Amino acid sequence: MAVTGSVIGVASAFSFVSDIFYGAVCGFFIDNYGLAGYKWIFAMTIVILAAGVFACGYIVKKIRSRAAA
């Protein structure tokens, strides 16, 4: 139960941080690169998505290894 609560807390912190900076970062890319800024935004989104997938996989692996022990 404690691990699940910790994971939910960390996931919430990461997911809500994007609400704080994502608009400013997207505005920066569009202002400086014009239409090409959308490609940068898309690439940044894909990188963040991949990092999230790997983080979830790591967390699931840790939970399963602790459950098996």
Side-chain angles (χ1 to χ4, degrees):
M1 187 64 105
V3 173
T4 304
S6 297
V7 170
I8 290 171
V10 170
S12 295
F14 281 118
S15 63
F16 289 121
V17 166
S18 66
D19 289 340
I20 296 169
F21 76 89
Y22 200 70
V25 171
C26 290
F28 169 80
F29 282 127
I30 293 170
D31 287 344
N32 290 321
Y33 300 109
L35 290 177
Y38 288 102
K39 291 181 183 179
W40 284 100
I41 293 168
F42 182 72
M44 179 183 66
T45 304
I46 295 297
V47 168
I48 292 170
L49 175 69
V53 167
F54 285 119
C56 287
Y58 176 75
I59 291 169
V60 167
K61 182 179 171 185
K62 282 292 195 183
I63 290 172
R64 286 185 181 164
S65 68
R66 287 186 184 185

